[in-house]
Amino acid sequence: LYWLLGGLALVLYLIAMVVLLVRPTLPNALFAVMAMSQCGNLLFIAAATATGLALPPGFARLEMHARTAFDLATAAAIVHAACLHPRRLPHARWIALLAWGLAGGLVLFDLRQALPAAWWWTQGAGAALGLAAIALLSWSYRIEPHPYAMMQRRFGIITAGTWILLTAAIATVGDAAGAQRGIASVGSMIWVVFLASLMLLVPFLARSQQMLREFSLLAGISTVATSLDLLFVTAFSLGQFTSITLSIFLSIGLY
């Protein structure tokens, strides 16, 4: 698993650098920020799965602060990109400054350990910025009916919906131990893989890349199935077999 996650991070890094170097524009720089943030998340998860070596002291605290910064930077960059592409929106600069100000302020408070319930703040800000990006893409489509805006909005709805569902699922687990805790950990990892696969897909959206689209959809559906399983077991007290069966059935129907 370490090598698979590390390999995915390397591929994502290389694609982001190629996109940025071939055409060094602001939207491509924002894409590079998103990609590099998810590379960081993948590498932290990969390091945590390496059982052969002990993790250095303070790794858990560093991981918490770093992954908070990575998630918030990704969400702010998505909002900024929605202001610029496929067309520049009115007041784009102020909207982007507001998104980066929110993300930067939360990261600063988190680093100073002055942010109570930092996980909730991160999840809530990520959801709010994701929904804001969807609204901006809808606004862009009303101003100029560009098909790229519609396609980006569809991906945004899938991504934001999956993020909110996974947040609710992990929140219901709370301090539970055993299988639920393991499922929550796997769900978080699958989410990062799903978002990384979407990042890999972005440079090729203008062309037909059926395999990449299917891989991204399968990763997203896996996240949905994991989240539903957690919700059914913890919130509705269903048995493990019933929960898995119902989760898979609903996820396949959604797929």
Side-chain angles (χ1 to χ4, degrees), residues 50-198:
T51 57
L53 297 174
L55 296 175
F59 179 84
R61 179 175 296 180
L62 173 64
E63 179 184 15
M64 180 182 67
H65 293 313
R67 291 187 63 182
T68 295
F70 290 151
D71 287 338
L72 291 173
T74 300
I78 288 173
V79 171
H80 195 169
C83 294
L84 302 177
H85 193 72
R87 60 156 295 143
R88 185 180 181 88
L89 294 175
H91 313 296
R93 179 178 299 177
W94 296 109
I95 297 172
L97 282 175
L98 181 62
W100 283 110
L102 173 62
L106 290 177
V107 170
L108 183 61
F109 279 114
D110 182 53
L111 291 175
R112 292 173 176 251
Q113 297 184 353
L115 189 66
W119 184 83
W120 277 108
W121 278 101
T122 303
Q123 300 300 110
L129 291 173
L131 294 175
I134 295 170
L136 290 171
L137 289 168
S138 300
W139 185 20
S140 175
Y141 189 78
R142 283 198 299 269
I143 295 174
E144 179 184 345
H146 197 290
Y148 193 85
M150 181 64 68
M151 182 165 50
Q152 288 283 69
R153 189 177 69 172
R154 289 171 183 163
F155 278 107
I157 292 171
I158 294 171
T159 305
T162 306
W163 172 272
I164 293 171
L165 178 60
L166 183 61
T167 298
I170 294 178
T172 58
V173 173
D175 297 326
Q180 284 82 8
R181 175 66 65 182
I183 293 172
S185 177
V186 170
S188 176
M189 180 183 66
I190 294 175
W191 156 259
V192 176
V193 172
F194 165 55
L195 190 55
S197 68
L198 286 182

